[in-house]
Amino acid sequence: MEKRAIFSSKLLPYLLLAPQLAITLIFFYWPASQAVKESFYIQDAFGTTSDFVGFDNYKSLFEDPYYFHAMGVTAVFAAVVTAASLSIALLLAVQADRVVRGATVYRTLLVWPYAVAPAVAGVLWVFLFQPSLGILAHALQRMGYDWNPTLNGGQALALVMVAAVWKQISYNFLFFLAGLQSIPKSLIEAAAIDGAHRARRFWTIVFPLLSPTTFFLVVVNIVYVFFDTFGIIDSVTGGGPAKATETLVYKVYQDGKLGADLGGSNAQSVILMIIVIALTSIQFRYVERKVTY
């Protein structure tokens, strides 16, 4: 029998929804509408006057080779960070689900990095890989590897990726572990009795049942990479060297805050919003079909 919530007052449901709707309107729809509006204007150097320029900001944006470079960096960054953080988190969750002695301590240690702010996480990895002071940087140099992310763009991007993956693993771990613990143990035991080895049990039973969790985390991780990695990039590399780690969200800040091009920065934020919405829609339209509920 289906259970439904029954409210004594018709006004009560709207009152319960009002705080969340207000937060959404104030902190998302209102800034988004302002960004769309300001993207059609150009301001003077002091920000006192604005002139309507139509689509000129968008036109100049797509004529900028650095913008397409930032798109490429973002695509590589998003793919690597999403895949690595999900894979490592799933591996750790599978191992944590099997641990009996010390399981609470093990899980707590894996969750802790999620409480670290992105900027702090970036600074921690900078200390570890700083060419002259970092412990891990010295280890790489002793092995004969010329490590210097302040000059090498590829190494700088790799360092930012490592920091972003480390920061996100804990979040993914929590959801994967909860998903694993919700799977009935009787299914796994029945497959084991039928002779299915551990790897086969995982790929034919466990992983398909985790598909709703995996789909949710893919969407969340892509949003995380596009927006929430700003603090890591700013604290680790500042978009350098030579724009090697400048993603779309950091370019919005670079051109708007530091370059004082508010109209172009707003145009970039609108395009970034469209890209994220499009990627999310594609995932719900095509990827969700393969999800087993």
Side-chain angles (χ1 to χ4, degrees):
M1 182 178 178
E2 184 179 358
K3 295 183 179 180
R4 295 185 180 182
I6 300 175
F7 297 94
S8 58
S9 173
K10 292 183 179 180
L11 185 61
L12 181 59
Y14 298 100
L15 291 176
L16 295 174
L17 289 173
Q20 182 61 47
L21 291 175
I23 291 173
T24 304
L25 289 172
I26 294 172
F27 294 102
F28 179 76
Y29 286 107
W30 173 251
S33 63
Q34 288 296 107
V36 173
K37 175 187 173 183
E38 295 297 329
S39 67
F40 296 106
Y41 289 84
I42 186 170
Q43 294 184 348
D44 63 359
F46 300 99
T48 56
T49 60
S50 299
D51 297 321
F52 181 79
V53 294
F55 288 94
D56 286 355
N57 287 324
Y58 293 93
K59 182 179 178 182
S60 61
L61 191 61
F62 286 108
E63 291 175 352
D64 182 9
Y66 291 115
Y67 186 68
F68 290 100
H69 176 266
M71 277 189 173
V73 172
T74 305
V76 174
F77 186 65
V80 173
V81 172
T82 301
S85 60
L86 288 174
S87 301
I88 297 173
L90 179 58
L91 176 62
L92 293 175
V94 170
Q95 299 303 319
D97 191 42
R98 297 173 183 167
V99 173
V100 177
R101 181 176 297 177
T104 303
V105 176
Y106 179 73
R107 295 166 187 170
T108 303
L109 292 175
L110 287 173
V111 170
W112 270 358
Y114 183 61
V116 179
V120 176
V123 171
L124 290 175
W125 285 96
V126 166
F127 280 131
L128 290 173
F129 284 96
Q130 210 281 336
S132 59
L133 300 175
I135 297 175
L136 297 181
H138 285 174
L140 290 173
Q141 291 167 359
R142 281 195 295 269
M143 290 187 293
Y145 187 76
D146 186 17
W147 173 262
N148 192 348
T150 59
L151 299 176
N152 189 304
Q155 294 177 358
L157 184 60
L159 177 57
V160 173
M161 288 178 178
V162 170
V165 169
W166 178 82
K167 176 69 177 67
Q168 191 65 5
I169 284 176
S170 298
Y171 182 87
N172 299 336
F173 169 80
L174 284 172
F175 282 90
F176 275 133
L177 183 61
L180 288 170
Q181 291 178 342
S182 67
I183 297 175
K185 300 301 180 184
S186 58
L187 293 176
I188 310 299
E189 294 171 356
I193 292 173
D194 289 338
H197 52 79
R198 181 173 294 178
R200 185 173 179 82
R201 294 198 301 268
F202 177 79
W203 291 111
T204 58
I205 298 176
V206 176
F207 191 69
L209 292 175
L210 281 177
S211 56
T213 303
T214 305
F215 173 72
F216 165 77
L217 289 176
V218 168
V219 175
V220 170
N221 277 256
I222 288 179
V223 175
Y224 159 78
V225 172
F226 271 85
F227 295 107
D228 293 343
T229 53
F230 170 84
I232 294 175
I233 296 172
D234 190 51
S235 60
V236 175
T237 63
K243 298 184 181 296
T245 59
E246 188 178 66
T247 59
L248 290 175
V249 68
Y250 197 80
K251 186 169 176 57
V252 171
Y253 165 78
Q254 192 83 9
D255 293 352
K257 179 68 174 179
L258 304 181
D261 182 12
L262 298 182
S265 177
N266 280 303
Q268 291 181 46
S269 64
V270 171
I271 294 174
L272 179 59
M273 180 174 61
I274 292 173
I275 291 174
V276 174
I277 292 174
L279 287 174
T280 305
S281 300
I282 290 172
Q283 291 177 79
F284 275 94
R285 180 69 175 85
Y286 297 102
V287 180
E288 193 181 19
R289 292 179 176 178
K290 300 180 180 180
V291 175
T292 303
Y293 290 101

